[in-house]
Structures are given as structure tokens and as C-alpha cells.
Amino acid sequence: QVQLVESGGGSVQSGGSLRLTCAASGSLYSYCVDWFRQAPGKEREGVSHIDTFTISQDNAKNTLYLQMNNLKPEDTAMYYCAADLPLYSGGPCPKEAHEYRYWGQGTQVTVSS
């Protein structure tokens, strides 16, 4: 039910920062939301565990953010936001990428040495 559009990707030198934005067509309230990335030849993975990355949400703007600091070349990937409703109110959120139904088109992040 929700459409997602990522923006803010680009090229940055190692040690730099980027802030990615995921704009939703509707309210993200009550949705599970997360950020994922996929590098060529690798599986899509969540990024919330990365110490230098911070996910935030502005429900008033229907927007999800990913603040990425101290970027390294190994962070180079296509970055996606994803959203889905839990099976029931207050229930657990999906953990793996394939469990999410709603995805943005992705935004490329390239980090050079």
C-alpha cells in the first residue's frame, strides 16, 4: 500500500558521510521499516547493526532516513528502504530482506579509497 522512493546516494571518499532519504507515499506509522544494501554478487543485507549508521524516522513527513558516517569502500552498494506491516499490532518486524513487501527503487552509494 505504500510507495517508497530513495534519494541521497552518490560518490564519497572514504571517511565521508551521506544521508539517505526514503520518502513514502503514505504514513509509515505502524509500519516496520528498515534499510538494506546489496553489493554486486552479494546477498541483500540489513544495515541497522552497523555502528556508524543511524536509522531515523519522521512520521510527520512520512520519511525514513539513513545517516551514514565514516563510510568505507566496503560500504559501496545499492541501498534500499523497505517497509511492511507486522502480522499483528505490536508484533515482531521482519528481519530478512525477503520478508518485506514494499521496496524503493534503490540509490547507489559509492565510496572511494
Side-chain angles (χ1 to χ4, degrees), residues 35-78:
W35 283 92
F36 298 84
R37 68 184 182 188
Q38 187 167 22
K42 293 187 176 181
E43 201 167 291
R44 192 168 298 188
E45 62 175 350
V47 300
S48 61
H49 68 284
I50 300 174
D51 292 342
T52 53
F53 289 12
T54 302
I55 296 173
S56 60
Q57 186 173 343
D58 187 341
N59 287 324
K61 296 181 179 180
N62 298 333
T63 302
L64 184 71
Y65 302 99
L66 176 63
Q67 178 67 47
M68 303 184 293
N69 297 324
N70 195 25
L71 286 161
K72 302 297 175 59
E74 51 264 40
D75 296 318
T76 295
M78 186 74 75

Side-chain angles (χ1 to χ4, degrees), residues 12-15 72-74 111-113:
V12 64
Q13 291 186 345
S14 182
K72 302 297 175 59
E74 51 264 40
V111 185
S112 60
S113 300

Side-chain angles (χ1 to χ4, degrees), residues 20-38:
L20 306 184
T21 297
C22 174
S25 61
S27 177
L28 291 173
Y29 183 76
S30 299
Y31 277 80
C32 295
V33 293
D34 209 349
W35 283 92
F36 298 84
R37 68 184 182 188
Q38 187 167 22

